[in-house]
Amino acid sequence: MSTTGSGPGGSAAQVLRGLHRDRAAGDPLVLPGPWDAVSARAFEAAGFPALATPSAAIAVSLGYEDGATPAAEMFAAVTRIVRAVSVPVTADLEGGYGLPAPELVERVRESGAVGVNLEDTGPSGELKDPRAHAEWLAEVRAAAGPELFVNARVDTYIRGTSGPLEAAIARALLYAEAGADCVYPIAAPAADLPALRAALGGLPLNALAAPHGGPAFAELGRLGATRITFGPGLLLRARDDLAALATGIRENARG
């Protein structure tokens, strides 16, 4: 069920890119985050037109801490998810695992994913130099051509940066110039979305949402979000539900 081929609507990458275009203000693209084939199929069956894997959720599902999943295991997990569904899949590949841009792009192609989420946090937890990161993103863009949707994550809000909004805008504009298709100032508060939207012009803006609570998706869209993702939130919600189920089964077994 790989999505890498072309069909009546064009390649899966073109389909994914098209989903970000011409969206009404109150109708952002909502992309749930599968962590395995079962969750991917559940989200597809619910009618979502594309999926966005979260690296933190895949890490938890494989028994790793966030950021500690070996690259080979992450690519293998993404490959299984892509194989399980017929909708486009974009993959969170953290900071790119230190891979040169051409090798990263080739491994993404081999996985079947048609989009990537690449963050600007370095391996030691520090923010990367924005210009150096932009240069690397430009190399990814050049190696991939149009058949890869690049979502550039901006981490100023989660790294204790002074003036995170202004820093996020500065980084986002550099990444956009480097060829990013979308920018993702992760954990930006809803109140900052209008300023981010205004600064970015027509470039798609990714916002993080909780699986329950927080502003409604339509409200996030009206504030400026083009698309909405969840990080590991959906897995954590499923984990809590599974824990409650396990407790109920155990209590039933005790009579």
Side-chain angles (χ1 to χ4, degrees):
M1 300 177 71
S2 172
T3 64
T4 56
S6 296
S11 73
Q14 292 170 337
V15 171
L16 180 62
R17 184 169 281 107
L19 289 170
H20 292 77
R21 292 179 180 148
D22 302 322
R23 301 202 69 88
D27 181 33
L29 175 63
V30 178
L31 298 178
W35 53 92
D36 60 11
V38 172
S39 57
R41 286 172 174 158
F43 293 137
E44 181 184 34
F48 290 99
L51 305 175
T53 71
S55 62
I58 289 178
V60 171
S61 74
L62 295 176
Y64 292 103
E65 295 293 325
D66 184 19
T69 308
E73 292 201 42
M74 184 63 72
F75 281 109
V78 170
T79 300
R80 288 190 293 270
I81 288 168
V82 172
R83 191 171 57 222
V85 296
S86 59
V87 296
V89 175
T90 178
D92 180 357
L93 298 178
E94 304 182 77
Y97 306 109
L99 297 172
E103 182 179 349
L104 176 69
V105 169
E106 182 58 30
R107 294 184 73 171
V108 172
R109 285 179 177 144
E110 290 172 353
S111 77
V114 295
V116 288
N117 183 75
L118 298 169
E119 65 192 45
D120 60 1
T121 290
S124 300
E126 77 292 350
L127 279 171
K128 296 178 182 178
D129 175 82
R131 293 192 178 278
H133 187 61
E135 290 175 3
W136 181 72
L137 288 175
E139 292 173 3
V140 171
R141 175 85 285 154
E147 291 301 303
L148 189 68
F149 189 93
V150 177
N151 187 40
R153 201 179 93 177
V154 181
D155 288 0
T156 59
Y157 286 95
I158 63 172
R159 297 300 170 200
T161 306
S162 177
L165 172 59
E166 293 75 14
I169 290 173
R171 285 173 174 265
L173 292 175
L174 283 173
Y175 304 161
E177 186 178 353
D181 297 291
C182 182
V183 293
Y184 178 20
I186 187 170
D192 283 0
L193 294 180
L196 289 160
R197 170 80 281 146
L200 294 171
L203 192 73
L205 175 65
N206 191 147
L208 177 68
H212 53 81
F217 302 152
E219 178 62 16
L220 290 174
R222 284 189 288 270
L223 289 170
T226 310
R227 84 178 200 178
I228 292 170
T229 53
F230 300 87
L234 300 177
L235 169 66
L236 298 179
R237 174 67 181 270
R239 180 196 63 185
D240 292 346
D241 290 345
L242 182 60
L245 175 63
T247 298
I249 292 171
R250 181 59 179 163
E251 290 175 351
N252 187 41
R254 289 171 176 164

